[in-house]
Amino acid sequence: MISYFSIIMLIVSIAMLMILTMKFQAHPFIAMILVAIFLAFALHVPSSKEPDSITEISALIGKGFGYALSNVGIIIVLGSIIGNILEMSGAALKMGEVVIKIVGRYHPAIAMNILGFIVSIPVFCDSGYLILTPLRKVVAKKTGASPVALSIALSTGLYASHALIPPTPGPAAVVNLFDLKGHLLTVIIIGLIVAIPTSLMGAFYGIFISKYIQKPNYVDKSPTYETLISDIGELPPAFKSFAPIFVPIILMAMGTIVRFFPIELDELIKKIFIFLGEPSMALFIGFLSSLSLTHKFNKEEIHMWIGDGIASSGRILAIVGASGAFAEVLKSTELVNYIPQLNSLFSSVSLGLILPFALSSLLKIILGSSTIAVVTVATVFAPFLETLGYTTAISQVLVLMSIGAGSMVVSHANDSYFWIVVELSGLKIKDAYKARTLATLIQGITALIIIMAISFLFR
């Protein structure tokens, strides 16, 4: 069984991370690298009491850093470039006008929450937040809504559908592991029933907590909306403005549908759709469509806007890479090996839907990745579904939802999405824990309550 020392070291490392970033205002990149090194030595990762383990630790941290960037690095850079072009061209202002006209001035946080919810069904929430950040800024400027409320509403809307509704990668993988492909419509319907109120709860919490975070920290010193309009001149058409966002979304959605749904297509055409639906490819095509927003395709203007977008992505890339290094160290400890040891308990202990929720929550807190938490716990549970009494399609879908709900709980310092929200919203670290982290805890618990209620209906 797992040693108490390992648990204590994990708690100490998380506490160190919070103290370094909150009390001593250490840069998150430095703090996470320091804590990763501390934890690696404390738990003798990857081997114990061997001279070569020191160099192996260094390689492990480098591997985690590189792996994190290999997954989202291109997406972050392209998302930053697209966001900068949308902002500089006035396209973001145009989108803000359209959204406000449709939803109205009186519910901007709900509007951002709904938009995030829709966008994140085919898109990773990281890239979704990057793409929608310029729009969030415009809505805040034009409506006077709290930037904190809009940031939390948007991030939680993206988060809910990402964790609970296929074709996002986590839920889609569980559909395959649980062999629920024939019940995909049931998965989507129950996913929507669980995810919609869970998403809105995040928006309501964002509106509530924004009243308790000092507003001077979020004063926007940028020009007024009217000044921006006069500086930019004529705004681009709505279809051109929305294209850099919705073209990637449509491509990713089509790629996922072709990949997971039984559609009769020529094999070459199918592979082309899947290729174009890869997030990095879809966002690159979105970037190409954003070039039409430049004034008369001005080469100097294009070069400047792209350069500014790349520069703004550097800080985020460093933090995401450091969070990957921290997560890689955690994955290489005996803490992760403890999860399979629970297999022997599955046949004799039934904790209902709370067990998959708790295991997924544990992995999310330890590893920082919702997708890894979902896939890992689903892999462990898949062989034991019938043994645990989950023999119907509905009950198995509820297990899927329970795992997804657990993967939402406590997004904190080892989660790259946490840092993307922090960096792009201007939140201080201590306020991010109060707003973003608590919001994810509330969302996870809300989702579990809804899942439990549904399970009672189908008893």
Side-chain angles (χ1 to χ4, degrees), residues 138-396:
V138 171
V139 172
K141 191 178 292 292
K142 192 162 185 178
T143 64
S146 164
V148 179
L150 294 184
S151 295
I152 300 305
L154 174 59
S155 68
T156 52
L158 289 158
Y159 205 48
S161 54
H162 173 80
L164 296 166
I165 304 173
T168 47
V174 184
V175 166
N176 283 329
L177 286 167
F178 286 7
D179 197 21
L180 289 170
K181 292 183 285 294
H183 303 280
L184 194 57
L185 184 60
T186 305
V187 176
I188 292 172
I189 291 172
I190 293 180
L192 288 169
I193 292 170
V194 175
I196 289 172
T198 299
S199 176
L200 291 173
M201 184 61 74
F204 296 144
Y205 178 76
I207 295 168
F208 164 78
I209 199 64
S210 66
K211 299 172 184 176
Y212 298 93
I213 293 178
Q214 291 183 354
K215 291 187 179 180
N217 294 334
Y218 305 98
V219 172
D220 192 348
K221 297 181 180 179
S222 58
T224 64
Y225 184 79
E226 289 72 22
T227 303
L228 284 172
I229 293 289
S230 63
D231 288 345
I232 292 168
E234 185 179 356
L235 296 181
F239 76 92
K240 276 190 176 183
S241 300
F242 279 98
I245 291 177
F246 285 103
V247 165
I249 291 170
I250 291 168
L251 287 173
M252 284 187 247
M254 289 174 64
T256 305
I257 289 168
V258 168
R259 188 193 299 267
F260 290 107
F261 289 77
I263 297 175
E264 293 296 329
L265 283 175
D266 180 80
E267 194 62 29
L268 177 60
I269 295 174
K270 187 175 180 179
K271 287 181 179 178
I272 290 172
F273 273 119
I274 292 172
F275 171 74
L276 294 176
E278 290 295 324
S280 55
M281 273 298 111
L283 278 174
F284 186 74
I285 294 170
F287 155 71
L288 293 178
S289 71
S290 73
L291 295 178
S292 66
L293 295 168
T294 57
H295 302 111
K296 297 181 180 179
F297 214 74
N298 185 303
K299 291 182 180 178
E300 289 184 6
E301 189 175 63
I302 292 171
H303 183 77
M304 181 181 68
W305 289 357
I306 292 173
D308 289 345
I310 293 171
S312 66
S313 69
R315 178 181 171 88
I316 302 172
L317 288 171
I319 293 172
V320 169
S323 70
F326 184 39
E328 189 66 28
V329 169
L330 287 171
K331 284 188 285 185
S332 300
T333 68
E334 65 171 354
L335 291 166
V336 176
N337 296 333
Y338 178 58
I339 302 300
Q341 293 177 21
L342 292 173
N343 285 358
S344 61
L345 300 177
F346 286 172
S347 60
S348 58
V349 178
S350 178
L351 298 180
L353 295 168
I354 296 176
L355 179 58
F357 173 86
L359 291 179
S360 185
S361 300
L362 177 64
L363 275 187
K364 168 63 178 178
I365 293 167
I366 293 175
L367 303 180
S369 169
S370 295
T371 302
I372 292 174
V374 166
V375 173
T376 302
V377 176
T379 302
V380 172
F381 259 81
F384 301 96
L385 285 174
E386 294 192 2
T387 304
L388 290 167
Y390 302 114
T391 55
T392 66
I394 292 291
S395 64
Q396 292 176 3

